[in-house]
Every structure is written in structure tokens, then in C-alpha cells.
Amino acid sequence: MPTYIVLLGPPGAGKGTQAKVLAEKFDLPHVSSGDIFRENMKNDTELGKQAQAYISKGELVPDDVTIEMIRERFSRSDCKNGAILDGFPRTPVQADALEQMLRGFGGRVNLVPYITAPVQVLIERLAGRWTCRANGHIFHEQFNPPEKNGICDLDQSELYQRDDDKAETVLHRIEVYQAQTAPLISYYKDRGVLAEINGFAPIEEVSADLMFALKY
Ligand code: AP5
């Protein structure tokens, strides 16, 4: 039976950080909608050009564009046994589309860890985040610093700060999250798959809580 885990939570809660831990632990692909958009922006594809305007303002990319992109990602064979979803779904329309896609594989969303942290913490985390150019590995100048400044520990590529991590864009992303994504909390609670995880704890502690929620 395939295993699909959806990480839910506001920007900076630690979804990307924990998705990488879970993907390794369960040997499942890490499907990050934000990473796929950024890869397309880097390669200047049509999708990248379309997404850029929304991402730079901290708005959501329209549902139809996002759902099509995830449908294409899920058409690859590595998602047939499951996936760790990070950043998708982000609206009830996307959640319904995901349910339908997974039904096609005989699967369903098994668990939705909802990672929370106070707004001030989210802002502090995003202001100090450094991301690796090659593979999106995530660091923080204070909470998870790389061994060498500006260089990824795992693949030695350059670390950069995301354009949408500017203070004013971060505040807008949090508002957008509250308005458009927070309704998914009750969506998944009603389906009996939501597990609340305190994200305001050291990274290893959050990972341990996730493993507990996943009964590992
Ligand atoms: P996306 O890339 O998905 O960004 P996000 O959801 O805003 O989340 P972040 O990546 O900012 O935060 P995170 O929770 O992953 O935190 P992280 O682990 O990095 O989306 C970007 C944009 O793309 C959106 O705004 C939208 O425009 C578009 N988009 C994407 N998906 C879409 C969709 N489905 N529909 C429409 N549009 C979409 O951690 C943050 C920092 O904190 C790091 O520095 C990390 O080292 C540190 N940290 C993590 N955990 C801890 C901890 N426990 N203690 C201390 N520090 C920690």
C-alpha cells in the first residue's frame, strides 16, 4: 500500500527541513511544489515565467497551473509507492485534486502532520534561511549553520537567500497562508488524518515527534 504524507504549516514552520528527513527515512521522493517552481524559474521555462510573478509577491500560483505541475510530477514512476508532499496542497481545490490523483494509484493521504510555530519565530527563521543552489538543502545562519559560510555541507554548492524571504513578502505569505491554506486544517481533521506537531522546538525534537506520529 503506497504511503502519502502531506506536510502542512505556515511558511518557515520547517516543512522542507522535515520533509528531507522523512524522505530519507522512508525512502520516498520529496515532492516540494516550491522547489519545482524554483527549478523552473532557474531554467527560465514557460512554467517558471508564469510562477515568478506570483512567487515574488508572495501570492499563490493559480490552482490549475499548480495542479497540472503536480500531476506531471506524479506521472513519474517514483511516486507510485508514495511521496512526502511539501507545499502541496495549499487550497481545498488542490486537496480535492490530490485525492483524485491518489485514487488513481490506489492510494490516499495517510497522514498530515500540521507543523506550527509562533509568527515571530517564522519571521526570524525565514530571515536567516540559506538554501543550496544545487539541491535545495536548507540551513539557518543561527539554528542550523553550515560548516563553511555560504557553502552547502552536503554537495558543496553555493548557498543563497530566497527573494521571497524579504520581511514584507514573508508577512504577506503568512497572511496568504491564513486565508487560503489554513482551511486545510479542518479539511484533513474531518478526514481523521491530521496530527498537530509543535514546530517550535529544535529540529531533531520535531523529527522525533513526527516519527512518533507516524508510529516509528
Ligand atoms: P514554498 O517553497 O513551499 O514555501 P513555504 O511554504 O512558504 O515554506 P518555506 O519553504 O518558506 O518554509 P518551510 O516550512 O519549508 O521551512 P524550512 O524547513 O525551509 O513556496 C514558495 C512559493 O511558491 C509560495 O509562496 C507560492 O507562491 C508558490 N507555491 C508553492 N506551492 C504552491 C502551491 N501548492 N500552490 C500555489 N502556489 C504555491 O525552514 C525555515 C528555516 O527555519 C530554515 O532556515 C531552517 O533551517 C530553519 N528551521 C527549520 N526547522 C527549525 C527548527 N525546528 N528550529 C530552528 N530552526 C528551524
Side-chain angles (χ1 to χ4, degrees):
M1 190 66 168
T3 304
Y4 296 95
I5 296 166
V6 169
L7 291 172
L8 187 62
K15 301 180 299 295
T17 301
Q18 298 300 336
K20 289 185 192 309
V21 174
L22 295 181
E24 196 168 326
K25 175 91 189 163
F26 295 103
D27 195 21
L28 288 173
H30 170 198
V31 175
S32 157
S33 43
D35 282 354
I36 305 176
F37 283 132
R38 281 185 286 279
E39 186 64 24
N40 276 277
M41 292 190 315
K42 190 169 84 180
N43 297 330
D44 209 22
T45 66
E46 229 8 83
L47 173 64
K49 283 181 204 151
Q50 248 178 313
Q52 170 86 53
Y54 297 96
I55 292 181
S56 62
K57 284 189 270 179
E59 299 285 345
L60 294 189
V61 179
D63 282 338
D64 54 343
V65 175
T66 307
I67 290 167
E68 239 358 86
M69 176 182 85
I70 293 293
R71 201 186 296 286
E72 192 285 319
R73 179 65 189 85
F74 268 66
S75 69
R76 299 193 217 155
S77 59
D78 64 336
C79 289
K80 298 280 187 285
N81 293 329
I84 310 296
L85 285 141
D86 160 19
F88 182 91
R90 245 179 165 97
T91 64
V93 170
Q94 294 182 15
D96 286 343
L98 176 65
E99 216 165 62
Q100 218 182 14
M101 276 185 242
L102 298 188
R103 225 176 280 141
F105 302 146
R108 61 185 180 85
V109 171
N110 300 85
L111 191 78
V112 181
Y114 161 43
I115 309 179
T116 59
V119 169
Q120 204 43 47
V121 171
L122 305 175
I123 294 170
E124 204 183 348
R125 285 187 184 171
L126 296 180
R129 168 166 60 188
W130 289 88
T131 305
C132 112
R133 193 72 78 186
N135 294 301
H137 297 123
I138 303 163
F139 297 87
H140 190 280
E141 58 193 22
Q142 189 185 345
F143 308 128
N144 182 24
E147 274 174 26
K148 278 191 226 149
N149 257 350
I151 307 284
C152 177
D153 291 353
L154 298 151
D155 56 32
Q156 315 308 312
S157 81
E158 179 203 11
L159 298 179
Y160 75 101
Q161 287 196 288
R162 277 170 44 180
D163 281 348
D164 61 343
D165 280 349
K166 286 189 214 97
E168 64 275 19
T169 317
V170 164
L171 286 175
H172 186 56
R173 281 164 58 201
I174 293 171
E175 285 166 6
V176 167
Y177 165 81
Q178 290 299 352
Q180 300 189 51
T181 306
L184 292 183
I185 299 165
S186 53
Y187 180 102
Y188 283 120
K189 199 182 260 177
D190 291 348
R191 283 160 175 73
V193 289
L194 195 86
E196 196 161 331
I197 303 287
N198 174 21
F200 186 26
I203 292 172
E204 296 71 23
E205 235 173 80
V206 179
S207 303
D209 283 356
L210 276 168
M211 291 308 163
F212 184 77
L214 289 159
K215 302 190 174 49
Y216 258 78

